[in-house]
Amino acid sequence: MCGIIGYIGDKQAQLVLLNCLGRLEYRGYDSCGIAVSSRSIEVCKDAIRVEALKKVMPQLGGTVGIGHTRWATHGEPSQVNAHPHLDCTGKIAVVHNGIINNFQRLKEQLASEGHNFVSETDTEVIPHLIEKYYDGDLEKAVEAAMGDIEGSYAIIALAAGEPKLVTVRKDAPIIIGIGDRENFVASDVPAVLDSTNRVVYLEDNDIGVITADSIKVRQHGSKVTREKHKISWTVEDAQKAGYEHFMLKEIHEQPKVIRDTLVGWVSGEPAADLAVMRDTGVEAMLILACGTSYHAALIGKYIVQELLRIPVRAEIASEFNYYAQTLAGTMAIVITQSGETADTLRAMKRLKEAGCRLVAITNVVGSTASRTADQTIYTRAGPEISVPATKSFIAQLMVLYWLTMSYSKIEARRLASLTMELRQLPSKVQQVLDNEDKILESARYLSGYENVFFISRGINFPVALEGALKLKEISYIHAEGYAAGELKHGPFALLGSDTPVIAIVAQDNTYEAMLTNIKEVKARGSPLIALVEEGDEAIEKVADSVITVPRVDAIFSPLVNTAALQLLAYYTAKERGCPIDFPRNLAKSVTVE
Ligand code: F6R
């Protein structure tokens, strides 16, 4: 999604903004630009990468400015549609993340009052509207303009000759980074991390007025105080550390992510207080999420049902709002790496209205999800920069194990054995990563195909879904995750020598059935890549390519299997020359429904 940044301080705004835009690139974008103000406002923008913009940009003088990475919604990626947008006098500049629902009506109204529009964007109405109300006080004009606007927005506005930034949000995140004689406004923390780790999160309908040495926040006319947070992430966490891609670095961080979760766990920190389940008659659990986080939710369903023995539903947040729900006695868990996914936040609102107890599992301190939930459990993944989610997924699974094992109702001996095995998990995942060369061979084999099925059963069925999602999003190979037993109910028609099948086989109660499914696949001529536990000779014999993972209890098998499939997707995409960290059309934080 779009990224926004504002700077005011004692440095040349152009350099600071361009640097921050580079840190926003990971969100996904197609155009970018900045505006710098001194007595007048100068804008430089285009449908190009930040590096390219740097090369073509003239020097812009001024110590206050705004910048934007655009992910096109209204109007194609082009110079004229790129942000910042100006009003027709050139006095007001605006960057915006979100969607203005009533922009068409506002545009017609403003045009009839003499405002000229040059772009196809919804955003362009904002500077015109601000200009309409402007009489030398930007804050007042922004407040008046927001009264006319319907939609979701995170906005930063700038007026020529006024040394301040005015920012406002509704249903889209805004953070203010507090520096030393300088301040920042941004859509997320990594954008400002190399300047400050002290941030303030704005709430919906807040108006922030930021100068180099002051931050003032008001809501509905009254001054409000927003808590300062210290972010534990470092700037190094958000850099590539010598890896070719963020995705590869983040995959390799997974043993540490598991270890970091275990540190909290074994030191006796409670993951979350589920005592509420006993005390308030919680009878069922609902886990909601989107994308990769939804696959963690599906695995959560298996874990919770096995360890807590209560009924669990896992649902896609974007579908949750479209049917009647029976929510009495239900505790809801939402899983969201960013904490800003619009569909997930909308479902959270509905759950709150229904009176559900709401636990959020998120990676971003202070995110909207964390502030909406009754209780938040932070995943210990560190900043995830690459668009494809990897380490955040593993961190989400670790939280689910932590949560459920802490309140487990299973037999003590089994619980003790799982607890023992926990300590081995970082090294088990490390063993998968150490097998990179073998996975690369399978990736070379896979990279020549255009269609592929991932199949599995039981707790590894969601792993098949995740393997397929990872492969399709970064290699552009059409991949489908399927419950192995469902292949014969339709997809068999597509099997053959040009459609490989990747079978994920765990040594659990699904093993025999998977063996049968593999034989069916082979009989139909599909090449077979098998992901098996070490020593599984029966499957190794029939597979065209084999990836082995170390043996773990089946309940933990999604950790090792997913790590292997992430590497398979990574190297397949690399073989095909794809832009791995920033796949086409995708964004890291999906703040529109
Ligand atoms: C895929 C991916 C997405 C996200 C989804 C939800 O690699 O990253 O599918 O998982 O957009 O995002 P969060 O977890 O931030 O709610």
Side-chain angles (χ1 to χ4, degrees), residues 118-243:
V118 292
S119 80
E120 300 157 85
T121 65
D122 54 341
T123 302
E124 201 187 355
V125 298
I126 306 170
H128 286 270
L129 207 52
I130 295 173
E131 192 273 334
K132 174 174 157 176
Y133 293 113
Y134 189 67
D135 64 0
D137 184 339
L138 182 62
E139 181 185 353
K140 266 200 200 146
V142 169
E143 193 164 13
M146 291 312 118
D148 294 348
I149 281 174
E150 290 162 19
S152 61
Y153 45 80
I155 292 167
I156 316 174
L158 193 62
E162 275 201 72
K164 65 170 70 145
L165 300 166
V166 177
T167 182
V168 58
R169 68 155 278 179
K170 186 170 164 286
D171 297 333
I174 285 275
I175 63 123
I176 299 173
I178 308 165
D180 185 16
R181 278 170 297 142
E182 60 182 5
N183 287 312
F184 300 80
V185 180
S187 33
D188 61 18
V189 171
V192 301
L193 259 187
D194 57 355
S195 301
T196 180
N197 63 354
R198 288 179 301 141
V199 303
V200 167
Y201 294 88
L202 291 194
E203 302 280 348
D204 274 353
N205 302 314
D206 280 356
I207 293 199
V209 180
I210 290 97
T211 66
D213 47 24
S214 73
I215 294 165
K216 201 175 77 182
V217 184
R218 287 192 309 116
Q219 188 168 109
H220 306 305
S222 310
K223 188 171 176 253
V224 287
T225 308
R226 299 286 171 230
E227 200 186 333
K228 286 182 190 138
H229 295 261
K230 194 159 177 223
I231 303 296
S232 59
W233 298 350
T234 65
V235 69
E236 290 75 33
D237 289 337
Q239 284 171 348
K240 278 193 208 154
Y243 285 92

Side-chain angles (χ1 to χ4, degrees), residues 289-294 335-341 344 384 386-390 392 396 466 469-470 473 587-590:
C290 296
T292 288
S293 297
Y294 169 65
I335 307 180
T336 165
Q337 184 282 129
S338 62
E340 303 295 349
T341 300
T344 306
E384 188 174 68
S386 184
V387 168
T390 54
S392 62
Q396 289 163 354
E466 176 58 9
L469 176 63
K470 221 78 311 171
E473 71 175 317
K588 184 70 186 159
S589 180
V590 185

Side-chain angles (χ1 to χ4, degrees), residues 317-331:
S318 57
E319 282 300 309
F320 176 70
N321 295 308
Y322 298 125
Y323 53 91
Q325 296 285 346
T326 313
L327 295 168
T330 300
M331 176 177 147

